[in-house]
Amino acid sequence: EEFVASAAEIYKDRPWKGVEAGVFRAAGALVMDSGGLRRVLVAHHWWDVQNSCFTLRLSALEGTPAELLAPDGGRSWRTVFDANPCLPLNTTNPAGPRFEGWENGGALARLQGDEILLTVGVHAFDGVTRPENYAQDDSSAYGKIMRIDVVTGEARVYTRGHRNAQGLLVAHDGSIWSSEHGPRGGDEINQIIEGQDYGFPSVTYGTDYAKRTWPLNDKPGFHDGYERPIYAFVPSIAP
């Protein structure tokens, strides 16, 4: 309700289509058991009313299984991590969406102990739809897979150069895999290797919508200079 009310105020004098409130949402969930403690993690959008901006937040609810199921358990959610920076709605590009909530990422996977991986989508801040290129900016969490300690909240970039990774798996052998929505014609399966750059938005096998090229890729159809996907779906299947 706060998001919708703020958006209505921001756009009251702009003859654009309505804000995409249906994709302001929870994006992923993970349950972690450690001894007798159960921790429920949820990645979700959060609206900062005071500053009129949004972020992808990781929240936790903790307790014993009995406490979490009890109607009067008295447990409350705590914030573990907020993607930075807090992002404004689109007021500059009439051709783009006001709020690109589809590109949220939000996939969660457990590593060892109290550490998890969280995918954070670019939310259209890709140097094309919006001028900021956050996927290639290590001071920003967007377009990254983040490694987070859910107890301390300590977070660091694990990999970068992602558009919208919504599938994430740590396999039995310890290898890490992700499925990712690219622009049209560029969906991917990636093996995730710490420290690697997967190229977006500098390179992609996809194209800008209604075009045959991707504006930032000097060699359309190539993925030179960056970690390549294990498999690319051309055409896209929205994996």
Side-chain angles (χ1 to χ4, degrees), residues 148-159:
I148 303 170
D149 186 309
V150 298
V151 174
T152 66
E154 181 181 354
R156 59 184 173 86
V157 174
Y158 195 77
T159 57

Side-chain angles (χ1 to χ4, degrees), residues 1-11 19-22 24 47 89 98:
E1 290 81 3
E2 292 174 339
F3 172 69
V4 171
S6 295
E9 179 64 23
I10 291 169
Y11 294 111
V19 72
E20 295 82 356
F24 189 92
W47 180 255
L89 296 179
R98 292 179 171 184

